[in-house]
């Protein structure tokens, strides 16, 4: 990795046009709502500054998990407000937030006390999190009203945006969705008629779980859809399909015959049931390819889908290419990307697209196109 030179061709190609395209679709679906581009965890593993640059013209603000992620974005020169989805860890962050227009979520009493007791030069904009059923962060619906009023009354506080988070947004028919929506609407109705609020994420937008027209002042928090994956079981029809942003690529570095009855890889989890041809590809779990990917997980190679054959190693995987004679050393496999959705690979590995995208490791160069 010295001097940015990479001899190993394994890489994650990042498609800027696809980011623009997906952000435009988010914009279209969101209607009059404002868009919060969620770019935590290094832009879901795509490289946060690349993502920020591509989506900056399409979104009204950015969101990250915590302040260190926000500072990186601000230092790179982006002027958008940045929401801190976990809020602050200590009161030392508050002046930094006020100075940089970072907008922390306030989800518990210590955070509230710190803000109310602070002496900031500029008022802080905050997001008040209500726990409507996820039971991870936030105030109960019964407490939210009091907290809202305390924040509104404080000279330290500028705007307050009411927010909550669905626990099952990717399953449209899950009964908790309606219950959470109802609780959230009740809390909002008790506070003010013209309230800034935020409930929808990518899944809610892609399933029309929330009627945006009925939620004036809504902020939609879009993460995964910007990166081109649709997490919803039965998604609505989109004006155009989303485009995967990351294409993870690695070369074939060996091809061998394996006799019937021989096993491949650590633990011999795959055994040839016929005379087989096995290709070894230079990517492994140390690159972020999931170690739990099962035998049969698809890998895209020269226009074919070939099945993973054998346990994923640290630096390599093995695939069964017996049915294809046109594959040679140096050919490049797509582990996920436009030809093979990251969601499908995730299912074979017992996980979700978010997990795979955010776990591509630092030794895989991001190549922006
Ligand atoms: C990460 C995150 C999001 C983004 O969710 P997607 O499913 O990627 O759209 C939204 N809201 C909160 C609170 C988050 O932590």
């Amino acid at each position: 990795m010295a001097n940015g030179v990479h001899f190993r061709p394994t890489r994650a190609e990042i498609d800027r046009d696809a980011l623009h395209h997906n952000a435009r679709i988010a914009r279209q679906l969101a209607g009059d709502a404002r868009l919060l581009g969620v770019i935590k965890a290094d832009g879901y593993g795509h490289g946060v500054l690349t993502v920020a640059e591509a989506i900056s013209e399409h979104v009204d603000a950015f969101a990250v998990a915590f302040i260190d992620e926000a500072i990186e974005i601000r230092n790179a020169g982006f002027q958008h407000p940045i929401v801190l989805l976990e809020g602050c860890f200590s009161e030392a962050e508050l002046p930094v937030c006020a100075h940089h227009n970072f907008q922390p979520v306030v989800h518990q009493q210590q955070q509230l006390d710190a803000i109310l007791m602070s002496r900031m030069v500029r008022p802080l904009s905050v997001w008040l999190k209500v726990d409507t059923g996820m039971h991870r962060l936030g105030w109960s619906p019964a407490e939210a009203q009091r907290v809202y009023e305390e924040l509104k009354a404080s000279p330290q506080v500028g705007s307050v945006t009411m927010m909550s988070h669905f626990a099952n947004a990717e399953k449209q028919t899950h009964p908790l969705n309606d219950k959470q929506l109802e609780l959230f609407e009740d809390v909002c109705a008790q506070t003010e008629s013209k309230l800034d609020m935020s409930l929808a994420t990518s899944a809610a937008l892609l399933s029309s779980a929330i009627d945006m027209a009925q939620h004036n002042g809504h902020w939609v928090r879009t993460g995964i859809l910007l990166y081109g994956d649709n997490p919803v079981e039965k998604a609505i029809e989109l004006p155009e399909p989303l485009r995967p942003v990351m294409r993870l690529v690695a070369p074939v570095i060996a091809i061998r015959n394996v006799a019937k009855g021989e096993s491949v890889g650590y633990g011999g989890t795959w055994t040839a049931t016929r005379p087989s041809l096995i290709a070894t590809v230079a990517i492994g779990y140390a690159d972020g390819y999931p170690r739990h990917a099962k035998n049969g997980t698809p890998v895209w190679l020269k226009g074919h889908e070939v099945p993973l054959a054998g346990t994923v190693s640290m630096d390599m995987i093995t695939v069964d290419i017996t049915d294809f004679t046109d594959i040679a050393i140096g050919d490049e496999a797509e582990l996920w990307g436009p030809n093979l959705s990251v969601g499908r690979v995730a299912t074979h590995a017992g996980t979700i697209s978010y997990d795979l995208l955010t776990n591509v490791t630092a030794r895989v160069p991001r190549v922006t196109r």
Side-chain angles (χ1 to χ4, degrees):
M1 286 192 248
N3 303 320
V5 175
H6 301 274
F7 288 105
R8 185 180 71 150
T10 303
R11 64 195 180 275
E13 297 175 357
I14 307 299
D15 182 346
R16 264 203 201 95
D17 287 346
L19 280 164
H20 281 281
H21 170 87
N22 298 336
R24 274 189 219 105
I25 289 185
R27 184 72 285 154
Q28 245 173 300
L29 295 176
D32 292 334
R34 283 163 291 177
L35 271 192
L36 195 56
V38 182
I39 55 177
K40 59 191 174 186
D42 198 27
Y44 286 37
H46 294 67
V48 66
L49 299 184
T50 305
V51 176
E53 192 186 312
I55 69 168
S56 62
E57 63 186 276
H58 308 286
V59 302
D60 302 282
F62 296 132
V64 295
F66 53 92
I67 192 168
D68 307 277
E69 295 185 321
I71 289 170
E72 184 186 356
I73 296 163
R74 193 58 91 231
N75 285 348
F78 294 98
Q79 298 303 316
H80 294 56
I82 306 177
V83 177
L84 311 182
L85 293 168
E86 282 182 354
C88 293
F89 296 82
S90 80
E91 66 266 19
E93 295 171 41
L94 293 173
V96 185
C97 288
H99 176 74
H100 281 305
N101 194 15
F102 297 161
Q103 306 187 353
V105 167
V106 181
H107 59 76
Q108 40 92 325
Q109 190 66 40
Q110 272 121 305
Q111 291 177 333
L112 177 63
D113 291 343
I115 290 169
L116 297 180
M117 282 162 19
S118 67
R119 290 290 166 267
M120 285 172 283
V121 186
R122 284 189 228 170
L124 192 66
S125 292
V126 298
W127 293 54
L128 194 171
K129 186 143 193 178
V130 188
D131 179 6
T132 53
M134 173 82 160
H135 301 324
R136 183 179 64 179
L137 292 181
W139 310 83
S140 72
E143 295 168 310
Q145 173 69 26
R146 161 186 68 87
V147 178
Y148 182 82
E149 271 155 26
E150 286 183 52
L151 286 168
K152 275 307 240 192
S154 167
Q156 304 304 315
V157 175
S159 68
V160 182
T161 304
M162 197 70 97
M163 74 180 290
S164 192
H165 197 63
F166 282 121
N168 294 282
E170 67 301 332
K171 303 186 199 80
Q172 279 95 319
T173 52
H174 198 287
L176 192 57
N177 291 338
D178 285 342
K179 195 177 153 204
Q180 287 193 261
L181 181 59
E182 211 180 293
L183 278 171
F184 187 66
E185 285 177 341
D186 283 352
V187 172
C188 292
Q190 285 162 21
T191 44
E192 272 184 57
S193 56
K194 240 185 121 307
L195 185 71
D196 288 324
M197 66 175 95
S198 177
L199 183 59
T201 59
S202 296
L205 202 56
L206 291 167
S207 63
S208 296
I210 301 175
D211 181 359
M212 289 300 156
Q214 287 192 16
H215 288 254
N216 273 325
H218 206 113
W219 283 87
V220 181
R221 311 192 297 268
T222 51
I224 198 73
L225 101 70
L226 295 174
Y227 308 99
D229 188 63
N230 189 336
V232 174
E233 275 177 359
K234 292 189 198 71
I236 54 165
E237 204 171 315
L238 299 177
E240 283 176 75
L242 297 173
R243 284 171 48 189
V245 174
M246 184 189 291
R247 178 168 186 265
L248 185 63
V249 187
V252 172
I253 58 167
I255 295 179
R256 74 197 54 253
N257 289 296
V258 172
K260 183 176 172 182
E262 292 288 314
S263 297
V264 172
Y266 287 118
T269 64
W270 186 90
T271 302
T273 57
R274 56 178 174 167
S276 298
L277 201 57
I278 295 293
T280 304
V281 178
I283 195 161
Y285 61 79
D287 300 296
Y289 190 84
R291 205 184 86 85
H292 296 293
K294 294 185 205 53
N295 283 324
T297 301
V299 170
W300 190 89
L301 189 48
K302 268 204 144 170
H304 319 294
E305 273 189 17
V306 297
L308 193 69
T311 308
V312 173
S313 302
M314 188 183 288
D315 316 303
M316 286 170 271
I317 58 172
T318 38
V319 294
D320 177 7
I321 59 167
T322 312
D323 294 329
F324 307 104
T325 51
D326 59 338
I327 293 164
I329 288 177
D331 284 346
E332 292 191 330
E334 180 178 306
L335 291 314
W336 55 73
N339 296 297
L340 177 61
S341 80
V342 63
R344 268 184 70 202
V345 178
T347 302
H348 281 269
T351 185
I352 55 174
S353 60
Y354 302 65
D355 183 25
L356 297 192
L357 293 172
T358 56
N359 276 303
V360 176
T361 60
R363 79 170 180 175
V364 178
R366 275 43 169 195
V367 181
T368 305
R369 343 214 106 192

